[in-house]
Structures are given as structure tokens and as C-alpha cells.
Amino acid sequence: MAETFGNFVAGEWVKASSGKTFDSINPANTDDLVACYQASSVEDAKNTIDVAQKAQAAWAAIPAPNRGVILMRAAELLEKRSESVAADMTREEGKTLPEAKGEVGRAVNILRYFGGEGARLGGETVPSEREGVFAYTFRKPLGVVSLLTPWNFPIAIPAWKMAPALIAGNTVVIKPASAAPLCTVRLIEVLHESGLPKGVLNMVTGSGSVIGDELISNPAVKAVSFTGSCEVGNGIQNKTVPRGTKTQLEMGGKNPTIVLRDADLNMAADIVVNGAFFSTGQKCTATSRALIEEPIFEEFVRLLVEKTRRLRVGNGIEKGVDIGPCVDEGQMKTVLRYVDIGKKEGAKLLCGGHRLSGPGYDKGYFVEPTIFSDVTPDMTIAQEEIFGPVLAVIPVKDIDAAIAVANNVKFGLSASLLTNQLNKVFRYINRIEAGLIIVNLPSAGVEYQLPFGGTKASSTGFREQGSVAIDFYSELRTVYLKHQT
Ligand code: NAP
Ligand code: MG
């Protein structure tokens, strides 16, 4: 029997008023029911926001370094449980066990890092131009914040939103993606066992299209942090911005990796394979376009296809599997639809392109890692985010042409360049339209202690992670204090 989890409200696991639940299933084996969660109503969301609002003043009154101790304790607990939490993640989201372990480790680091930030939540002192005036700034929490998270990093993203929100003194209502809520449950468990007061961190589960509006529009909600698709994110912004609700959106990408002729081709092919296919291409920072300088195009593509064919697709819980399934049937169908579009628009399928069948595959949402060549920069598969294991390779004349093609999309999340030519590296760093600018590493693979976020349609500006994450979750106050009267 799969376990049924409640909403987490005022420190208790409670049922939704609807009395209804929904299921999450293992995308590698649809016979495996992972867990059931509450199908919450608008009323449940509203009550949860009320609880968070009532708890906020007392939480903000706890000195920030002491709030930080709770986060650090939670980090210890999560680290102890990392094996089982990673297994939960693989079972519910599908990524391989080593990737899931890496992600749990990331959440541990995030909790520790923001725990430490509790003792560093300073403002600045600035000399006043007036005599006897002491001028300084300090940070105030916002109040209740709503966190809306996607399924693809089911513990890291909730952690990198919750931790700075909490350390800054806000109370939180989180709604995890319906495809993968279990890791949010695990985070809540460790934070509560570590002494987080009741009502400070709350979770409601259920369909975003049912409870999302209440979570972003309730007047007690002072800020909304969302990671997910552009469609949903832009819809949220259209409602929150006119109301003056602080809004942070992290959305899609169409991330390029540029390979110049001097690159070590073997290493470059490994980097592109890693960026394009690991986590089944379901990373917002995944490489979905490889822009290859013409003289090395054929040799590079040959290596790329050879390495891609060697990837083992399967149930991510098994040893030796490189690529797990798509997260659900809808995502798999989206991937296959884009494969069809690519073929119809005249791109050439070099490998993959099919759903896998046979023993070990029939009950899961497995798609072969797929590479298209003869892709022109204006084709749909070179423009739209697919969010699956599909890579478009595009020949380019030189670095300038590569940067032009790279920038010719609506997104600007991450980009990578593989070369040792320093002058070209700096030209790229100065001109590439991406929030995360990477050289000689995969386009995916960022660290928690630096700012994360994109430009153009990928993000709205306020960065997540790193010390600047606090900027979104707090507001500065400026004090002018005359002490010589
Ligand atoms: P999604 O469909 O936009 O959903 C994201 C979250 O929003 C889920 O919790 C979802 O709930 C909720 N939601 C849905 N409709 C809503 C509404 N009307 N109001 C409020 N909330 C609503 O995205 P996804 O399919 O989970 O994730 C994939 C997308 O996330 C990709 O586009 C990817 O690029 C993006 N992503 C971006 C980043 C980044 O940092 N830039 C990182 C990871 C992923 P339900 O699950 O109940 O629908
Ligand atoms: Mg979705």
C-alpha cells in the first residue's frame, strides 16, 4: 500500500477538505504507485495562508543566527537520510540514483549555507553628509511567501527557495509540482524535527490550476517565487504585478553549447552528451543546441552519435543506467511530438527518436536520446524548449556566427563555450545573452553559493541561490539617525 501524505499546516499533517487525493506513480514502472497526496481546495490554500500569516511575527522575532541553527540541524538530518531520500526521488521523478544523491547533497549544502547566512544578514553603514547623523540599512522580512515549484529538481528547488525565505524571517506556503511532491515532504520532515516552530513552513498539495490562483492572489501573500514553464509563469506575473506582489520567475531555456575547432573533441563530445542527456534532458540548464564550428562538424558529430548510442537508458534505480525515463506520459508525448516536428521541418534524425519498448521498458516512459542534424536556427526544434533528451546540432562559420545563433532565441538561461582561445572566450562572455555563462564545462551544473538565473524570457531578474537570494525575500530599510542634537 502506498502511503498517503497530508497537507502540512500549523505543524500537523492534515487532510484536504475535499476528502480527495491524487496519486504519483513511478515513471520507470507505472505499476508502482509511489504515494498519494491531498487534492486541496481553494479553502485549504486560504486556511494555510492564514496559518502562515499568524506565525510570521514570532518567527521574525527569533534572532536570525538562531533561525540559522535550525536550518543547519536540518542539513545534518537530511544528510543522514540522503540514501533513502535519493531513492524516493528516483522512484517518483525518474532521474538516476547517482543524480538523485547529488541533488540531495545539493539540498544539504543549501540548508547549511543559508543557515550560515543567518549570522550574516547585515545591511550597510554609509557615511552621512550631515554631521552627527548615523546612516545605515537593515533587512525586513516580507511576510508570507508562496513557493511554486516544478518536478525536475524536486528537492533542490524547494530547498533553494525555502531556505532563504525562512532565514530572512518569512513564513512559507509551498505547493510542490503534482508529479513529484515526496521530496518536499522529506524537507519539511527534517526542518520540523530540527525545531522549526509550527506554522512557519506549510505545504498544500494539489493541482496548480485549482489552488494556484489563491496562492498568488491572497492579500496576505507578499511574494511569489515560481519555477516552471513560461506559460504558467507569465500567467502568474500578469496577476501578481498589478497587485504589487513581489514576483520571481525562473522559467525555460534553449541553452547552446558552442564548440570551436581547437577544442579537444573527445572531451567536448562528453560535455555535450552530459549537458544534453543527463537527467533525461529535463534540466532547465540542459544543452538543447550544439553549435559546432564547420571544420570540425563531421568529426564532432560522429563522436557525439557514437557516445550517445552507448548511453544506457533504463530504470534509474539500477546500477549502470545513465538515463532514466521522462517524468510522465505528458512529457514523453511532448518529446515525441517535437521529434515529429523536427522530421517534418526537414531536420535529419541521426540517432534515437523513439519510445523504447520491450522488457524493462514497456511500463515506463522511456525515450531514446535523440540527435538531429541539418537543423537550421529558425526550426521549431532550435527555438522551443522541449525539456527532454533531444539535441539539435547546427554548424556555424565562426565564433561570431555562433554567438548570433546562440542569441537568436527568446530564452537566455545558460550557455557554454568549449575552446582555449582566450580572446574568443571574452568576446563570448561579453556578448552572450545568458544569465549563466559557462566555459569548458557542461551548460548544466551550477553551484549553490553563486547567483542563479537567466535573462530575456527565462527569468524576471531577482536571482536565486548565493547570498543575493536574500534580496528577493527581504526588503531594505534605510535609517537616518541624528545622535547629536
Ligand atoms: P509548470 O507546469 O509550469 O508547473 C510549475 C509549478 O506551477 C507546479 O507546481 C504546478 O502545479 C504549478 N502551477 C501550474 N499551473 C498553475 C497556475 N495556474 N497557478 C499557479 N501555479 C501553477 O512546470 P513543470 O512542468 O512542473 O516544470 C517544467 C518547466 O520548468 C520547464 O519549462 C523548465 O524549463 C522549467 N524549469 C525552470 C527552471 C529554472 O530555474 N529556470 C528550473 C527547473 C525547471 P501542478 O504540478 O499541480 O500543475
Ligand atoms: Mg507541467
Side-chain angles (χ1 to χ4, degrees), residues 22 147-153 157 160-161 174-181 205-216 224 226-233 235-236 239 249-255 281-285 327-328 331 385-387 411 413 436 452-454 457-459 464-465:
F22 66 94
L147 310 180
L148 299 158
T149 55
W151 43 263
N152 67 327
F153 284 100
I157 295 178
W160 85 47
K161 291 186 193 296
I174 184 167
K175 192 208 89 63
S178 299
T205 53
S207 166
S209 56
V210 175
I211 56 174
D213 249 7
E214 180 64 22
L215 292 170
I216 64 170
V224 175
F226 166 88
T227 299
S229 61
C230 289
E231 194 192 351
V232 175
I236 288 174
K239 291 179 183 161
L249 308 177
E250 291 291 349
M251 301 179 288
K254 191 70 193 172
N255 312 298
Q282 298 178 139
K283 291 180 185 171
C284 50
T285 50
V327 71
D328 59 19
Q331 199 65 36
E385 182 181 56
I386 300 173
F387 222 57
F411 298 108
L413 188 56
L436 304 162
F452 176 90
S458 293
S459 304
E464 306 204 78
Q465 308 190 78

Side-chain angles (χ1 to χ4, degrees), residues 387-463:
F387 222 57
V390 182
L391 176 71
V393 286
I394 304 175
V396 285
K397 195 162 91 322
D398 56 21
I399 180 71
D400 294 317
I403 293 170
V405 172
N407 288 344
N408 182 30
V409 292
K410 66 175 178 172
F411 298 108
L413 188 56
S414 73
S416 174
L417 170 66
L418 311 182
T419 184
N420 288 315
Q421 302 175 68
L422 199 56
N423 54 347
K424 291 181 182 166
V425 168
F426 274 96
R427 211 180 311 167
Y428 153 85
I429 290 172
N430 288 327
R431 291 199 209 152
I432 194 76
E433 292 166 359
L436 304 162
I437 301 174
I438 294 162
V439 180
N440 292 327
L441 289 167
S443 68
V446 295
E447 302 180 26
Y448 63 91
Q449 72 278 31
L450 286 104
F452 176 90
T455 184
K456 294 160 72 178
S458 293
S459 304
T460 46
F462 278 109
R463 292 307 192 225

Side-chain angles (χ1 to χ4, degrees), residues 135-388:
Y136 72 101
T137 66
F138 70 96
R139 289 182 184 276
K140 290 279 274 187
L142 305 174
V144 178
V145 300
S146 281
L147 310 180
L148 299 158
T149 55
W151 43 263
N152 67 327
F153 284 100
I155 199 160
I157 295 178
W160 85 47
K161 291 186 193 296
M162 266 180 209
L166 293 172
I167 202 68
N170 304 286
T171 51
V172 169
V173 177
I174 184 167
K175 192 208 89 63
S178 299
L182 189 48
C183 287
T184 297
V185 170
R186 299 303 181 220
L187 263 179
I188 289 173
E189 286 169 349
V190 294
L191 279 155
H192 271 268
E193 288 171 49
S194 301
L196 199 67
K198 291 180 177 183
V200 170
L201 172 60
N202 308 277
M203 175 186 79
V204 275
T205 53
S207 166
S209 56
V210 175
I211 56 174
D213 249 7
E214 180 64 22
L215 292 170
I216 64 170
S217 308
N218 186 302
V221 171
K222 300 303 176 201
V224 175
S225 180
F226 166 88
T227 299
S229 61
C230 289
E231 194 192 351
V232 175
N234 293 331
I236 288 174
Q237 182 162 256
N238 288 342
K239 291 179 183 161
T240 53
V241 168
R243 304 178 64 104
T245 307
K246 205 171 179 183
T247 306
Q248 176 179 53
L249 308 177
E250 291 291 349
M251 301 179 288
K254 191 70 193 172
N255 312 298
T257 294
I258 301 169
V259 187
L260 297 188
R261 64 188 84 188
D262 68 297
D264 172 333
L265 292 194
N266 195 46
M267 192 184 77
D270 283 336
I271 286 175
V272 171
V273 165
N274 173 311
F277 300 126
F278 282 29
S279 291
T280 322
Q282 298 178 139
K283 291 180 185 171
C284 50
T285 50
T287 295
S288 53
R289 297 178 294 154
L291 313 183
I292 316 299
E293 226 179 357
E294 278 162 6
I296 55 164
F297 186 78
E298 272 181 33
E299 171 66 1
F300 179 80
V301 169
R302 191 188 59 73
L303 267 173
L304 193 66
V305 170
E306 191 184 300
K307 287 177 190 287
T308 300
R309 287 211 169 109
R310 265 191 247 136
L311 294 172
R312 214 180 123 203
V313 181
N315 186 334
I317 209 78
E318 288 166 18
K319 264 208 168 80
V321 165
D322 301 303
I323 312 288
C326 298
V327 71
D328 59 19
E329 191 177 10
Q331 199 65 36
M332 180 185 71
K333 285 186 168 160
T334 301
V335 170
L336 296 172
R337 185 167 53 80
Y338 275 108
V339 170
D340 270 349
I341 293 173
K343 287 193 220 159
K344 284 198 184 110
E345 291 187 0
K348 185 171 155 201
L349 191 59
L350 294 182
C351 66
H354 305 101
R355 181 179 184 174
L356 285 155
S357 56
Y361 292 129
D362 283 342
K363 289 185 174 165
Y365 304 122
F366 297 100
V367 177
E368 294 169 323
T370 301
I371 302 177
F372 276 107
S373 167
D374 293 4
V375 177
T376 56
D378 55 334
M379 282 183 186
T380 307
I381 57 166
Q383 289 289 328
E384 292 182 14
E385 182 181 56
I386 300 173
F387 222 57

